Amino acid sequence: MNRSIESRFLAIVAITVFVLIVPLFALFLTLSSEQAGKELKDHVEVLLAANSQALAKPMWDFDRESVEQITASIVSSNSIAKVQVRDVSGGISVSMPAFPVWSKHGVRSMSREIFYQTVDGAKLVGTITIYFDRLEALSSLRRAEGLLIGIFVVAVVGIVGAAILGSRLMIIRPLLKLTAAIEATRQLGSRHHVDWQSNDEIGRLAKSFNAMQSQLEQEERELKLAHHRITDIYNLTPAMLLSLDEDDRITGVSDYWLLATGYRRAEVIGHRFADFVPADVRDAYLERKRCRGKGNSVVEITTKFMRADGNVMDVLIAEANKEAHADELALSLSVMTDVTALKQSEARNLRQAITDHLTGLMNRQGFENALDTEIGKTDEEGGELACIFVDLDRFKWINDNLGHHAGDSVLRQLVDLMRPLLPAGAIAARLGGDEFAILIRSDAAERDAMDISHRLCAIFDEPLLVHGTTVRLSASVGVALYPRHAHNAAELLQKSDMAMYSKKRDGKNGALLYDPLMQDNTRHRAEIERDIEAGLANDWFDAFFQPIIDLSSGTVIGYEALLRLDHPEKGIMPPAEIIRVAEETGAITRVGNSMLDKALANLVRLSEATGNDQAYLAINFSPLQFEPTLPIRLAALTTRHGIAPHRIVIEITEATLLHDNPQIRTILDEFAGFGCRIALDDFGTGYSSLSYLNRFPVDIVKIDQSFVHSLSADSPELRHKSRMLVEGITAISHKMECSVVAEGVETETQRDALKQFGVDAGQGYLFARPQPVQHLIDLEINMDTARSSVA
């Protein structure tokens, strides 16, 4: 150690001498040489300047002798090797000495042109060139300077020697003692001090080292105390703390973690945390671990954890990581929280979010999620998925007449009756209101779905008891299959809904499998909807009139207004489809209002053209048009058109009266009070037609055309029964003070029979078809013309 430090010190001194002293000495010599050279050059320049002026006159006068004298005086100067003077004409050329002695270091030269001032100005007369020796570095030194260099060398040698001796006494010895203290501390583990005292830097170093040793002893005691405190805090914190290494191995756990999990510390330290995760979720846990953030971050992972007693709990692990750096170790601390109760609560909330609270089935949201899942399983496993769409018929009547509480009771009863019919794995949901959906996935999905659909419809063969009242319902069911009928969930639900509506339009109460033709029907229905809207916007609707004839006199006693849509391209469209679609879309009220206004206006035109101001107008209203404001609107229109109320006959069907709605009874009473008459249309087709004559203010009974057609049937038995029915209806109606009108009279035989039975009036193709009012006006004008011609 001593020799190493000393050799390094000597090397530093030697390097210092060569790096600093030698360059300085070389610099000194260079500067001295440059100074001497500069002085010599300046001296030569002075000689050139002075002697060029002195030589000007002699060279102008061609005084060679004077030129040689001046040249000789220049050569006599020190360091001048040679002087050469020449005039411009070459007549004078002086060079001294004739045989110069050149310096071994070489010579330099300087020249100057010689000018003579004449009356005409300066004239060039010649040039002077002086050759002088080049100076060497050492040769340029003067005696004083050499003495100074010698003193400098002696001083440097003395300083180096003193530095070496001082380093031995003042540095090497205390360093040896400091080294011994450090070695003892390292080998023995105890803090040793340095036995050295002085007032210099080494003394302060020894003092600082001893103070550092004392401070380290104090810090070691404090670190041990802090470690004990941190360990106590780690173990006493009421949280499940654990530490993991980079390989997911447990390096430490808190006492609370051991208490919560039931393990002993020796059973978990060194084991991978994934070993305590159940096998069915272990891969998912490891995948989330691989995807966790890098660097100093906090990562939260939810997984399951196997306790020591075998029970599984849901845990949330918040893991804080700090990556290792050059001077720091990697750190990891995880907080494990038991979230089993929270997970159970979330599961309950999810069930509530996707469950219908009334029936316990899935709601629409839950059904849509399940539908996506079942379609995915169908794609993976094959087979077909059937979607059964169920809609209750006449359920609105229960809510309107018995109350929503009764409607809820019906829905619960339906679900109780439906559950035993569903096969294992079927998914049922209440989509809203009285709409239900069922999913069945199997290799024979069509057969199973239709079988269940028919059994669902059979539920309603028996009436349901609701709050002491029996109600009869039916169901319209539509079935669609994936992937046969649809390519995605939304389309499958739409196709089953479309099949259900097709069944509902075809008469309700039954099941129907989706057919692509239904889509054509849907498009056709959409086209009719557009035609209705266009008809309302462009005034395409018209009220055709069909005359009602008194069978006794053959005169016209009234007209029935019939809806027609005169399309500019399609012509007259079938009214039945128009009315059905308008009722389904809710446009029937607007269509009816337009129709009512047109019919009253046409009655005024016809009355003015024929002069018959007593013929009545029979107007049909859809059940959906029976609103409290209908009588007021009719009264306003009749007043505006100037039509007497007794000329208006309101035709109602048994479908309207079947609801037994008090509001309908009130509206009919208002019509009667206003002066309008009430006609019961299609009489005899319902199961309680006679009761309506007693319960409602009916003035006219219209016998259904099916009975009239049967009067001329081929079967004698059918003709006999029909005659008895028509005769009985006529007799009863007359007893109830109602007039009788027969519909659908097409032959004279039918007319004669009706007249024989006492029927008051008739309408049908035998008399006239429904036609525009202008045709009736034209017909009346032609008849008047013919009568005038005969007269």
Side-chain angles (χ1 to χ4, degrees):
M1 180 69 181
N2 186 16
R3 288 193 301 273
S4 177
I5 292 178
E6 189 172 14
S7 61
R8 291 177 185 173
F9 177 76
L10 292 175
I12 291 173
V13 171
I15 292 171
T16 303
V17 170
F18 282 103
V19 171
L20 295 179
I21 306 302
V22 172
L24 287 175
F25 182 71
L27 179 61
F28 176 76
L29 292 179
T30 302
L31 292 176
S32 298
S33 299
E34 288 181 355
Q35 182 64 28
K38 186 175 183 301
E39 290 177 356
L40 178 57
K41 182 179 178 182
D42 292 342
H43 174 66
V44 173
E45 287 180 349
V46 170
L47 290 177
L48 285 172
N51 289 286
S52 63
Q53 294 178 0
L55 290 171
K57 181 85 168 57
M59 292 187 70
W60 178 263
D61 295 335
F62 290 97
D63 186 358
R64 183 180 183 86
E65 183 178 354
S66 297
V67 172
E68 290 178 350
Q69 288 177 358
I70 294 171
T71 302
S73 64
I74 296 173
V75 172
S76 62
S77 176
N78 291 332
S79 300
I80 300 303
K82 181 180 179 180
V83 177
Q84 186 176 12
V85 180
R86 290 182 180 179
D87 66 349
V88 294
S89 63
I92 299 176
S93 178
V94 178
S95 179
M96 292 184 179
F99 301 100
V101 179
W102 304 106
S103 173
K104 63 180 179 180
H105 301 295
V107 295
R108 299 172 58 190
S109 64
M110 294 181 64
S111 299
R112 189 180 182 94
E113 293 178 339
I114 302 172
F115 292 92
Y116 178 72
Q117 295 292 332
T118 65
V119 179
D120 297 329
K123 299 291 185 178
L124 178 64
V125 295
T127 59
I128 179 173
T129 302
I130 299 176
Y131 297 88
F132 54 93
D133 297 335
R134 289 183 180 273
L135 295 181
E136 187 183 353
L138 294 178
S139 64
S140 62
L141 293 177
R142 290 182 287 272
R143 181 177 181 181
E145 293 173 345
L147 182 60
L148 182 61
I149 291 174
I151 295 172
F152 176 75
V153 172
V154 172
V156 169
V157 172
I159 291 171
V160 171
I164 294 173
L165 180 61
S167 68
R168 280 180 170 275
L169 296 176
M170 304 303 296
I171 298 177
I172 301 302
R173 286 180 62 194
L175 282 179
L176 290 174
K177 291 187 177 184
L178 179 61
T179 302
I182 294 173
E183 289 293 331
T185 300
R186 182 178 65 82
Q187 294 177 0
L188 302 178
S190 58
R191 298 293 174 182
H192 285 260
H193 295 259
V194 179
D195 183 15
W196 180 268
Q197 292 182 353
S198 63
N199 294 327
D200 54 10
E201 289 79 0
I202 294 298
R204 289 197 298 273
L205 175 62
K207 184 177 180 180
S208 298
F209 177 80
N210 293 334
M212 181 187 67
Q213 293 289 73
S214 300
Q215 184 177 358
L216 289 175
E217 290 176 353
Q218 178 66 24
E219 290 178 352
E220 285 178 353
R221 289 192 295 269
E222 292 176 354
L223 283 175
K224 291 179 181 179
L225 179 61
H227 176 71
H228 287 300
R229 289 178 178 174
I230 291 174
T231 303
D232 292 340
I233 293 173
Y234 186 82
N235 289 321
L236 294 176
T237 299
M240 292 184 283
L241 304 179
L242 71 154
S243 299
L244 303 173
D245 61 14
E246 295 181 353
D247 297 326
D248 197 40
R249 297 186 182 278
I250 299 175
T251 58
V253 292
S254 65
D255 291 345
Y256 190 85
W257 190 94
L258 297 174
L259 179 64
T261 60
Y263 289 102
R264 294 192 299 272
R265 186 170 272 105
E267 295 175 338
V268 296
I269 298 298
H271 291 271
R272 296 174 71 248
F273 184 84
D275 295 341
F276 301 95
V277 177
D280 56 337
V281 297
R282 188 174 300 160
D283 292 339
Y285 164 76
L286 294 175
E287 181 63 24
R288 288 196 294 271
K289 286 280 288 184
R290 282 191 293 269
C291 298
R292 68 183 180 179
K294 300 296 183 181
N296 302 335
S297 60
V298 177
V299 180
E300 293 186 352
I301 299 176
T302 303
T303 186
K304 294 185 178 297
F305 184 85
M306 181 75 71
R307 289 166 44 91
D309 58 6
N311 292 327
V312 177
M313 61 181 180
D314 292 291
V315 295
L316 171 64
I317 302 173
E319 182 178 356
N321 295 288
K322 183 178 181 182
E323 290 186 338
H325 296 286
D327 55 347
E328 295 180 352
L329 297 176
L331 297 177
S332 171
L333 179 63
S334 300
V335 180
M336 192 169 78
T337 306
D338 185 359
V339 294
T340 304
L342 179 61
K343 283 289 186 179
Q344 293 172 349
S345 177
E346 289 179 350
R348 285 195 301 272
N349 293 337
L350 178 60
R351 285 195 300 272
Q352 293 174 359
I354 64 174
T355 302
D356 176 56
H357 69 280
L358 178 63
T359 62
L361 301 178
M362 283 186 177
N363 58 17
R364 178 175 287 274
Q365 177 184 352
F367 178 78
E368 290 175 352
N369 295 337
L371 182 55
D372 290 332
T373 302
E374 290 299 309
I375 284 181
K377 291 181 179 178
T378 304
D379 292 336
E380 294 176 0
E381 302 175 11
E384 287 187 319
L385 177 65
C387 179
I388 304 174
F389 200 104
V390 182
D391 183 86
L392 301 184
D393 304 323
R394 298 186 65 244
F395 181 76
K396 185 177 183 300
W397 182 89
I398 295 177
N399 281 336
D400 293 341
N401 294 276
L402 302 180
H404 289 277
H405 187 63
D408 293 345
S409 177
V410 169
L411 295 177
R412 284 192 291 266
Q413 289 186 53
L414 170 62
V415 172
D416 292 339
L417 295 172
M418 181 175 65
R419 289 185 190 275
L421 303 180
L422 301 181
I427 298 174
R430 180 191 176 207
L431 302 182
D434 60 343
E435 293 182 342
F436 296 84
I438 302 169
L439 293 178
I440 299 174
R441 186 163 55 86
S442 69
D443 294 332
E446 178 182 346
R447 182 196 63 198
D448 297 341
M450 295 305 295
D451 178 61
I452 293 174
S453 298
H454 292 311
R455 283 191 285 167
L456 287 174
C457 293
I459 291 176
F460 302 103
D461 290 345
E462 298 296 330
L464 299 177
L465 182 63
V466 182
H467 298 168
T469 302
T470 58
V471 295
R472 284 190 172 274
L473 291 175
S474 62
S476 297
V477 182
V479 179
L481 304 175
Y482 173 87
R484 189 192 307 180
H485 299 143
H487 298 90
N488 52 55
E491 190 177 356
L492 179 63
L493 188 60
Q494 177 191 16
K495 295 295 178 60
S496 61
D497 187 21
M498 191 180 300
M500 181 274 295
Y501 271 109
S502 295
K503 182 60 186 175
K504 188 176 288 287
R505 287 194 296 269
D506 291 344
K508 306 179 180 180
N509 190 25
L512 188 63
L513 181 67
Y514 172 80
D515 189 282
L517 293 177
M518 294 177 185
Q519 206 154 7
D520 296 336
N521 295 334
T522 302
R523 284 193 291 268
H524 178 63
R525 182 180 182 276
E527 186 177 353
I528 294 176
E529 290 182 18
R530 291 193 296 270
D531 291 339
I532 291 174
E533 294 300 326
L536 290 171
N538 301 305
D539 196 24
W540 293 344
F541 283 100
D542 195 6
F544 278 30
F545 282 6
Q546 184 176 31
I548 300 173
I549 308 299
D550 187 310
L551 296 181
S552 299
S553 61
T555 60
V556 176
I557 62 173
Y559 301 93
E560 181 178 1
L562 299 172
L563 172 70
R564 293 293 185 269
L565 194 159
D566 189 2
H567 195 281
E569 298 177 0
K570 302 177 183 178
I572 303 298
M573 298 181 63
E577 285 188 341
I578 299 294
I579 294 173
R580 176 176 57 81
V581 173
E583 287 180 338
E584 291 177 359
T585 61
I588 189 64
T589 301
R590 291 183 294 149
V591 172
N593 292 339
S594 175
M595 171 69 180
L596 180 60
D597 194 18
K598 285 285 186 68
L600 295 178
N602 288 345
L603 179 63
V604 172
R605 290 175 55 202
L606 187 58
S607 298
E608 293 175 350
T610 61
N612 184 358
D613 58 358
Q614 296 301 317
Y616 67 82
L617 178 65
I619 304 174
N620 293 282
F621 287 103
S622 167
L624 299 178
Q625 291 180 264
F626 274 80
E627 299 174 345
T629 59
L630 181 59
I632 299 174
R633 186 163 58 250
L634 179 61
L637 288 174
T638 54
T639 301
R640 190 178 71 187
H641 290 286
I643 300 174
H646 72 273
R647 297 185 64 189
I648 303 300
V649 173
I650 308 299
E651 291 195 359
I652 55 176
T653 61
E654 291 190 31
T656 303
L657 303 178
L658 184 64
H659 297 288
D660 198 14
N661 191 335
Q663 178 176 297
I664 295 179
R665 176 59 187 264
T666 301
I667 294 173
L668 293 178
D669 289 341
E670 290 183 8
F671 279 137
F674 178 60
C676 299
R677 288 178 290 174
I678 308 299
L680 183 58
D681 198 11
D682 299 334
F683 187 84
T685 57
Y687 62 87
S688 58
S689 299
L690 293 176
S691 67
Y692 297 139
L693 296 178
N694 186 42
R695 292 161 55 195
F696 294 97
V698 177
D699 300 291
I700 301 173
V701 172
K702 300 190 72 172
I703 300 175
D704 187 70
Q705 61 182 347
S706 61
F707 298 122
V708 176
H709 292 166
S710 298
L711 294 176
S712 56
D714 295 335
S715 172
E717 182 180 0
L718 180 58
R719 285 199 307 271
H720 175 71
K721 289 182 178 180
S722 297
R723 294 171 67 90
M724 296 293 292
L725 283 173
V726 172
E727 189 173 3
I729 291 172
T730 303
I732 292 173
S733 299
H734 286 163
K735 291 291 185 182
M736 299 294 293
E737 298 182 351
C738 297
S739 60
V740 180
V741 178
E743 294 182 303
V745 181
E746 298 181 354
T747 65
E748 293 181 356
T749 302
Q750 295 171 355
R751 180 196 60 187
D752 295 340
L754 292 171
K755 185 177 180 180
Q756 180 183 352
F757 299 150
V759 175
D760 300 301
Q763 68 181 98
Y765 289 175
L766 176 64
F767 308 113
R769 292 175 177 270
Q771 54 194 295
V773 172
Q774 187 61 45
H775 290 180
L776 293 174
I777 294 174
D778 295 341
L779 179 62
E780 184 67 24
I781 293 173
N782 293 335
M783 291 178 63
D784 289 343
T785 303
R787 284 193 292 267
S788 299
S789 300
V790 173

